[in-house]
Amino acid sequence: MPDDPADYRRRREALLLQVESLPTFAGRGGPDQVGLDDAPQPLRNRRWGDPVQLWFEPDHVHVLCAGALSEALRVDLRELLRMIGGRYVDDDGEPAAF
């Protein structure tokens, strides 16, 4: 959740481009969806998607993690949080961390 939703909305498109510079960036799944993977494979060889999928919603970023995360993915998720300026919360609204 961004600390300043109005700032996030203004910077949303730039944030999508910034995420592409993360070492684990694996590709775009659509205009608002980004995949992170510490061992990216060509898109044609993917079966189950990336271990981390990000949806840049209008007021927040939805993060879906499939399975245990490598240290590289954890580092990039912390960097994403720094870029956005906010905090992670779980589905129940409780604080979460990587």
Side-chain angles (χ1 to χ4, degrees):
M1 299 298 295
D3 289 331
D4 183 346
D7 179 61
Y8 167 79
R9 284 190 294 274
R10 282 190 301 277
R11 297 184 311 116
R12 186 171 167 272
E13 294 303 317
L15 288 167
L16 278 160
L17 294 175
Q18 277 184 287
V19 169
E20 292 182 12
S21 70
L22 294 174
T24 60
F25 173 76
R28 288 265 187 108
D32 302 326
Q33 184 181 1
V34 173
L36 301 179
D37 191 341
D38 59 345
Q41 302 171 10
L43 191 58
R44 67 182 179 280
N45 291 334
R46 291 188 187 170
R47 290 179 159 170
W48 307 109
D50 299 309
V52 177
Q53 295 179 18
L54 309 170
W55 285 271
F56 284 73
E57 304 287 348
D59 292 323
H60 66 279
V61 178
H62 180 87
V63 180
L64 174 66
C65 301
L69 299 178
S70 69
E71 184 57 28
L73 287 167
R74 290 174 184 276
V75 166
D76 280 358
L77 285 169
R78 289 190 293 266
E79 177 61 15
L80 173 67
L81 185 60
R82 188 199 62 75
M83 288 177 190
I84 293 170
R87 66 195 181 289
Y88 286 116
V89 295
D90 64 19
D91 291 337
D92 297 322
E94 297 296 320
F98 293 102

